Amino acid sequence: MATKDNIPTVTETDKSDEIALERLGYQQVLHRSYSLFENFSTSFAALYFVGGVRVTFTTGIAAGGPLAYWTSYIVTCVFTFITAAVIAEVCSAAPTAGSIYLWAAEAGGRRYGRLFGFIVAWWSTTAWTTFCASNTQSAVNYMLSELSVFNVDFPTDTNNVKFRAVQWICTEVLLGLAAWMNFASPRVFRWVFWLSTGAVFLDFILNLIWLPVGASDTYGLRTAHEAFMTTYNGTGAPDGWNWCLSYLATAGILIGFDASGHVAEETKNATLNAAKGIFWSTVVSGVFGFAAVILFLFTSPPIDVLFSYDAPQPFVPLYAAVLGRGGHIVMNVLSVVALWLNTAIAITAASRLVFAVSRDGVLPLSNWVSRVSETGQPRNAVIVVWVVSAVITCTILPSGVAFTSLVSAAGVPSAAAYGLICLGRLTLTRNEKLEAKWSLGKWSKPFQFVALLWNTWVVAVLFSPYEFPVTAGTLNYAPIIMAIVTIFALVSWFVTPADAWLRQGVITPADE
């Protein structure tokens, strides 16, 4: 039954979602109660543009200075928006839980579909579990930076094992609380999406209001030349590559928009709403993120002062200098809460990916991992994500460069997966038309080509060391992590029978 305006009722929409899912080879077992807003919020919270800019700000300044940072950010926005549009179109054609590895499998076609599916399943699982760990660590860095502000007699150098031990304990506690939030019913957890989105915008608004006033009353605002035209080399790399390393900061801010695809099976009218969630969360985050970059460039102290702050998160002493102890505590608490909510939603996205892979019978204990609760939630998959993220967090203990490596390890697999999907669509399945309601039409192939080149570049930058000359203490472990994960993917693809995974009738071996 339809309304007089010929708009489908909720019942009809739900039915069409189930039919679309059955066509892809699955039955509806997850709750389907999220609207476009919750789907949008999944990626919007995962991107958290204000927090992303703050976490990578000093890295961006060190790599080329303000001129490189803001210009690289504009380039990043343009090409990331194109990539998001490509992924959104693919999602519209196949809106299932943990979609990204299925999109890769279909892009690989009959001959390479299973191989692509295994590789991206491993890459994406690594990306999201690693992101949950590194994002929680970022929240803890805000907390522990107060030690410097209040002159507490305790080391704040990340090279000090005592500091890293406290950092690890706090990270594990916050990670466990974020995982626990995912056991709430969908009706309750919906508030997490609202609170997270609200916290992101409140964070941005308070910065927009307080920082210019506080900076002008203390060390003064930067001039237009200082904010826009200054260059700097804080990495020790050759000047050309030092500039290129600015993309380490800018690209990392806008990676992770596939989160909306992972909750597609829980979203009403998913063939449209999941695609819209992917694309518009990226655009909104990118535009507001650019405003945040410009704001921070004008209101941050001179570069030598910025790098003199002895704290894991330099923005904490910066806020203390600009806003005073009272105002900076408000901003710090808001930052920690927003990052914690961000982690809770990231665990949601990651658990749906783990659930989907288990549903296809790949992981050990797949029957248990893919089990769904009475409320239609994959709670066992949440436990798996929490345990794996907790183990990854232990890398804080032995290495002083664990944080930067974790950031890259979280971004590299996602960028590589986006690129691999584009590569498959351009070569192996170029003649197969995507049946997508949210379609790019004639722009589909050109956008796929551009996205392939862009994500190849992003992977190259994220693989690079951040400090030169390279030593054991400054080595970027992201390429090593990526190689190990890819080896595991190839081994699991080789030992898993062809009739055990993927969806039979959709992806089949080439000789059948």
Side-chain angles (χ1 to χ4, degrees):
M1 179 178 179
T3 65
K4 62 181 180 180
D5 297 318
N6 202 31
I7 299 174
T9 64
V10 173
T11 302
E12 286 178 320
T13 300
D14 290 345
K15 189 65 177 177
S16 65
D17 285 328
E18 290 184 18
I19 293 172
L21 192 60
E22 288 175 2
R23 188 166 58 247
L24 294 168
Y26 299 110
Q27 292 184 341
Q28 182 74 48
V29 294
L30 300 178
H31 73 91
R32 193 180 286 274
S33 58
Y34 290 152
S35 66
L36 171 60
F37 176 80
E38 284 86 23
N39 188 279
F40 167 90
S41 295
T42 305
S43 289
F44 184 71
L47 296 174
Y48 184 18
F49 65 91
V50 184
V53 172
R54 274 195 301 251
V55 167
T56 60
F57 188 74
T58 53
T59 302
I61 295 299
L67 177 59
Y69 193 31
W70 72 266
T71 55
S72 295
Y73 190 90
I74 292 176
V75 174
T76 297
C77 281
V78 172
F79 290 111
T80 303
F81 293 170
I82 291 173
T83 302
V86 170
I87 299 302
E89 181 184 45
V90 176
C91 176
S92 180
T96 64
S99 303
I100 191 165
Y101 78 93
L102 297 176
W103 304 335
E106 292 182 345
R110 291 178 175 269
R111 180 176 294 276
Y112 297 106
R114 290 186 70 254
L115 176 61
F116 278 25
F118 270 92
I119 290 175
V120 171
W122 277 88
W123 282 355
S124 297
T125 303
T126 301
W128 280 102
T129 52
T130 304
F131 175 74
C132 293
S134 63
N135 194 65
T136 311
Q137 186 188 8
S138 297
V140 171
N141 282 346
Y142 280 92
M143 297 166 53
L144 297 183
S145 293
E146 294 289 5
L147 295 171
S148 297
V149 174
F150 287 95
N151 297 316
V152 177
D153 186 17
F154 192 84
T156 56
D157 185 357
T158 54
N159 292 320
N160 189 294
V161 69
K162 289 183 179 179
F163 172 80
R164 294 203 305 271
V166 174
Q167 188 184 44
W168 171 70
I169 293 171
C170 294
T171 301
E172 294 288 14
V173 171
L174 283 186
L175 183 64
L177 291 173
W180 173 75
M181 278 294 297
N182 276 268
F183 293 121
S185 67
R187 181 177 58 83
V188 174
F189 195 79
R190 182 177 285 110
W191 286 102
V192 176
F193 292 110
W194 283 92
L195 290 172
S196 180
T197 301
V200 172
F201 279 117
L202 179 61
D203 191 352
F204 175 69
I205 292 170
L206 290 181
N207 275 285
L208 194 62
I209 295 172
W210 282 357
L211 271 184
V213 175
S216 62
D217 290 341
T218 51
Y219 47 69
L221 296 172
R222 304 278 65 74
T223 65
H225 181 270
E226 290 174 323
F228 288 123
M229 302 306 295
T230 308
T231 59
Y232 186 80
N233 188 331
T235 66
D239 288 342
W241 188 246
N242 177 66
W243 184 291
C244 292
L245 287 177
S246 62
Y247 288 100
L248 168 68
T250 60
I253 296 170
L254 295 178
I255 289 179
F257 49 75
D258 53 295
S260 291
H262 298 320
V263 296
E265 234 169 276
E266 299 162 81
T267 303
K268 296 179 180 179
N269 195 18
T271 52
L272 281 176
N273 285 342
K276 291 178 181 178
I278 288 174
F279 181 72
W280 288 112
S281 64
T282 309
V283 172
V284 172
S285 296
V287 171
F288 279 98
F290 180 68
V293 167
I294 300 303
L295 173 67
F296 292 150
L297 287 177
F298 271 103
T299 57
S300 63
I303 293 176
D304 57 338
V305 176
L306 178 65
F307 284 106
S308 71
Y309 290 142
D310 183 21
Q313 173 46 260
F315 265 83
V316 176
L318 187 155
Y319 282 139
V322 172
L323 306 177
R325 288 194 172 182
H328 103 271
I329 289 176
V330 172
M331 291 304 304
N332 207 16
V333 170
L334 178 59
S335 299
V336 172
V337 170
L339 282 167
W340 179 71
L341 292 170
N342 174 277
T343 299
I345 293 177
I347 291 175
T348 301
S351 62
R352 274 47 176 183
L353 175 62
V354 170
F355 159 78
V357 175
S358 300
R359 176 173 59 182
D360 284 331
V362 175
L363 295 178
L365 302 175
S366 286
N367 289 335
W368 178 81
V369 176
S370 62
R371 194 173 300 163
V372 175
S373 70
E374 316 161 328
T375 56
Q377 296 167 287
R379 292 181 175 176
N380 292 343
V382 170
I383 294 174
V384 171
V385 171
W386 168 56
V387 170
V388 174
S389 297
V391 171
I392 292 172
T393 300
C394 294
T395 59
I396 295 173
L397 292 171
S399 172
V401 296
F403 174 66
T404 49
S405 293
L406 281 173
V407 170
S408 284
V412 169
S414 291
Y418 303 155
L420 188 63
I421 291 170
C422 294
L423 177 64
R425 285 291 169 192
L426 286 169
T427 57
L428 302 173
T429 53
R430 60 184 178 277
N431 296 322
E432 294 183 16
K433 184 180 178 181
L434 280 170
E435 298 296 331
K437 288 186 178 180
W438 200 94
S439 175
L440 294 174
K442 65 180 181 180
W443 293 103
S444 185
K445 293 302 178 186
F447 275 24
Q448 288 169 7
F449 178 74
V450 171
L452 172 61
L453 295 181
W454 167 249
N455 286 282
T456 301
W457 166 247
V458 170
V459 169
V461 172
L462 292 178
F463 272 166
S464 173
Y466 315 135
E467 297 180 23
F468 294 79
V470 181
T471 65
T474 60
L475 180 66
N476 180 4
Y477 293 97
I480 299 173
I481 295 171
M482 189 72 166
I484 293 172
V485 171
T486 304
I487 290 171
F488 276 123
L490 294 174
V491 170
S492 62
W493 164 74
F494 182 77
V495 301
T496 303
D499 59 354
W501 193 75
L502 276 155
R503 305 192 309 278
Q504 301 307 306
V506 179
I507 302 295
T508 57
D511 56 354
E512 289 189 3

